[in-house]
Amino acid sequence: MALFGRRKKQQEDVVEVAETPTLPPPPPTDAGGLRSMEDHRAYLLEQIEQLPAFGQQILDAIDLSICEDIESDIDLPGFDNSAMDGYAVHAADTVGAEEGQPVVLAVVGEVAAGGWSEEPLPPGTAIKIMTGAPIPEGADSVVPYEVTDRGSDDVAIRVPARTGQHIRRRGEDVTEGDLMMRTGERLGARTIGLLAAIGVDKVMVRPRPRVVVLATGSELVEPGRPLENPAQLYDSNSYLLAGAARADGAQVFRVGLVGDDAEAIKQSISDQLVRADLIITTGGVSQGDYDLVKAVMPELGMTDFCQVAMQPGKPQGFGLIGEDRVPMIMLPGNPVSAYVSYEAFVRPVIRKLMGIEPLFRPQVRAIATHLIRSAPGRKQFARGVVTTDPGGRRRVTAVGGHGSHLVSNLAKANALIVMDPDVDQVAAGSPVTVWLLDENG
Ligand SMILES: Nc1nc2c(c(=O)[nH]1)N[C@H]1C(S)=C(S)[C@@H](COP(=O)(O)OP(=O)(O)OC[C@H]3O[C@@H](n4cnc5c(N)ncnc54)[C@H](O)[C@@H]3O)O[C@H]1N2
Ligand code: MOO
């Protein structure tokens, strides 16, 4: 065989190759290959679209953010009506009434809530009227039962009426055309009551995102079951994250555990795509031999695995998965890492899907009650308890150590103490940034 034989020139077919979709270029990294927390968060948010709005029953829309301005089509009250049970009268007819010398007026009828009087009220007469009933034409005040003899054919009135007394005027609460709610406001019990009062039964809202939560790891056991060997532990992450997402307004599907098995992970994620607006997983995104989420997810969609300059929460994964490009956030397995990552990345994404502002927790300054040490190089998130002193100043005490497995300290905390990568300690009495975990902002 000739070593240097001339190759026969082959006909080159021009094949149209569909461009493989990719995620946008990732943000830059620092000298150590780490991405800043802010850059990573912005990168995820730019790839998330708000869920489309649709008309929903007002009661089902509680806590959701409306996507329309709502004006009232009616006045409230819709008609002049009585604020008291008593008699509608012409105030002028009661002049001079007093205890022992009442004014007596003929009673020409009765009007209850839901009824109305066809006839104007003749001068010199009274008509029984119940709370909420329309004021008959001509009447200009209501005399409560308590200052009368409650008569049926005629009534003795012991106190003169002031013009307009006990009449609730049409439109004094809401006037037709008044703006009741603005785009972006969230519905609560009181606003639902207001909408019902102006006759609105449905509103345009963004739905609750359907968030699938799935924990990976062969060492994990479902709480309530026995631990069968010394290397097992209970899955706490999926409960922690499902609870957090539910508290943030998502409709959560907590899927059972998936072991460290490539096919099982792919199958479980594929099964969930149909019902998910967002998938959250924990575990399997670091460097370990069994960190399979990172290994298999690129087969199902466009993914981005990176390291973020934060502690905890360094290894992070993101993807747009399947044909519908369902957003997926792959969090590290250590419980505190998973939670801090949730606060930093997942919660803002859920709020963006829902169209709720602000996206982030309130970030405020608090005075450190003691020396707080930090490891420079990555943004540090320590768990803290914030209290407010009698002078209204916030103070913060770190709880527990830095280990990202320390769940009992996490449960005690109501804040994350956030220290920038260049900070190595915060002195007692100095201000430090905190995220308030029990406030929505
Ligand atoms: N050689 C390296 N090792 C590790 C690095 C690294 O950079 N190089 N990073 C460390 C950091 S930081 C983190 S965070 C973890 C993240 O690891 P994974 O996301 O791969 O998570 P796993 O290895 O699956 O689990 C870590 C840890 O968390 C426990 N875990 C996992 N899931 C749950 C759950 N649902 N409930 C409760 N606890 C859970 C698991 O048992 C492990 O102890 O990697 C470091 N390693
Ligand atoms: O980043 Mo890991 O999340 O430090 O424990």
Side-chain angles (χ1 to χ4, degrees):
M1 192 164 75
L3 271 179
F4 300 105
R6 275 184 79 170
R7 278 221 184 120
K8 202 171 156 195
K9 194 163 185 263
Q10 286 180 352
Q11 174 109 28
E12 277 173 348
D13 288 336
V14 180
V15 181
E16 285 280 338
V17 180
E19 217 172 285
T20 320
T22 52
L23 295 178
T29 53
D30 64 16
L34 305 181
R35 195 181 285 182
S36 78
M37 189 280 291
E38 290 81 0
D39 280 355
H40 186 57
R41 185 168 68 182
Y43 182 64
L44 301 196
L45 286 170
E46 85 189 28
Q47 297 181 66
I48 301 296
E49 282 172 22
Q50 294 185 337
L51 296 175
F54 68 99
Q56 195 145 316
Q57 280 287 333
I58 48 176
L59 198 51
D60 296 331
I62 195 156
D63 282 343
L64 298 180
S65 170
I66 64 164
C67 302
E68 57 181 335
D69 289 345
I70 299 177
E71 288 180 1
S72 180
D73 288 340
I74 61 171
D75 291 333
L76 279 185
F79 46 89
D80 291 353
N81 69 90
S82 177
M84 299 289 256
D85 300 317
Y87 299 86
V89 297
H90 296 264
D93 292 336
T94 66
V95 172
E98 58 183 81
E99 205 66 44
Q101 257 194 329
V103 165
V104 177
L105 301 174
V107 177
V108 295
E110 178 185 288
V111 50
W116 67 95
S117 166
E118 303 280 0
E119 303 295 327
L121 184 70
T125 66
I127 185 168
K128 267 194 183 181
I129 192 162
M130 303 302 137
T131 304
I135 302 290
E137 200 186 320
D140 61 10
S141 56
V142 171
V143 177
Y145 274 147
E146 289 84 338
V147 296
T148 72
D149 65 353
R150 301 187 69 134
S152 296
D153 297 331
D154 46 39
V155 58
I157 297 172
R158 301 190 299 270
V159 177
R162 254 183 315 101
T163 302
Q165 76 176 23
H166 305 311
I167 295 180
R168 307 191 288 208
R169 292 292 173 198
R170 173 176 183 159
E172 71 180 6
D173 189 6
V174 172
T175 308
E176 184 185 333
D178 279 356
L179 186 62
M180 299 286 96
M181 287 192 80
R182 278 177 204 284
T183 303
E185 281 183 57
R186 283 178 94 173
L187 275 180
R190 292 182 293 277
T191 38
I192 284 177
L194 172 61
L195 294 182
I198 59 166
V200 170
D201 66 333
K202 284 202 185 93
V203 280
M204 292 297 284
V205 284
R206 294 188 201 289
R208 287 169 210 290
R210 296 159 304 164
V211 175
V212 167
V213 181
L214 194 145
T216 70
S218 295
E219 73 280 27
L220 302 173
V221 174
E222 187 65 44
R225 303 238 173 99
L227 296 174
E228 277 164 3
N229 69 51
Q232 289 186 327
L233 72 154
Y234 289 116
D235 160 33
S236 58
N237 288 353
S238 70
Y239 284 91
L240 173 69
L241 299 175
R246 191 177 291 176
D248 286 327
Q251 183 187 357
V252 177
F253 303 105
R254 192 196 142 267
V255 175
L257 303 167
V258 188
D260 296 315
D261 174 284
E263 285 313 310
I265 293 172
K266 279 197 282 185
Q267 193 60 55
S268 304
I269 299 295
S270 303
D271 288 349
Q272 296 304 320
L273 290 174
V274 64
R275 65 167 174 178
D277 296 310
L278 173 67
I279 298 177
I280 313 172
T281 60
T282 68
V285 294
S286 187
Q287 309 288 334
D289 297 354
Y290 300 95
D291 287 340
L292 294 174
V293 170
K294 188 174 174 180
V296 304
M297 285 315 298
E299 293 176 37
L300 298 186
M302 300 177 278
T303 55
D304 163 59
F305 289 92
C306 67
Q307 299 211 312
V308 177
M310 64 192 282
Q311 190 177 31
K314 184 170 77 163
Q316 296 291 336
F318 173 73
L320 295 176
I321 307 301
E323 262 177 38
D324 293 335
R325 302 189 182 177
V326 176
M328 176 165 175
I329 303 182
M330 294 158 268
L331 304 177
N334 281 320
V336 182
S337 315
Y339 180 71
V340 169
S341 307
Y342 176 90
E343 284 293 329
F345 308 120
V346 182
R347 183 175 184 275
V349 161
I350 289 176
R351 286 171 78 86
K352 175 142 187 208
L353 288 166
M354 295 176 78
I356 298 176
E357 296 276 357
L359 296 179
F360 310 135
R361 290 278 189 206
Q363 176 173 301
V364 298
R365 302 283 275 172
I367 304 297
T369 58
H370 59 109
L371 174 74
I372 305 173
R373 291 193 194 285
S374 184
R378 294 198 260 161
K379 198 186 250 298
Q380 295 291 316
F381 289 87
R383 282 70 83 197
V385 174
V386 169
T387 53
T388 306
D389 71 18
R393 281 176 304 259
R394 287 197 181 89
R395 302 168 77 79
V396 64
T397 304
V399 284
H402 286 293
S404 47
H405 58 294
L406 301 171
V407 287
S408 66
N409 296 322
L410 182 62
K412 286 181 200 136
N414 65 0
L416 291 175
I417 303 168
V418 187
M419 289 163 287
D420 279 336
D422 56 350
V423 171
D424 61 359
Q425 63 174 50
V426 175
S430 296
V432 62
T433 299
V434 294
W435 290 359
L436 301 175
L437 300 176
D438 294 334
E439 289 181 27
N440 283 324

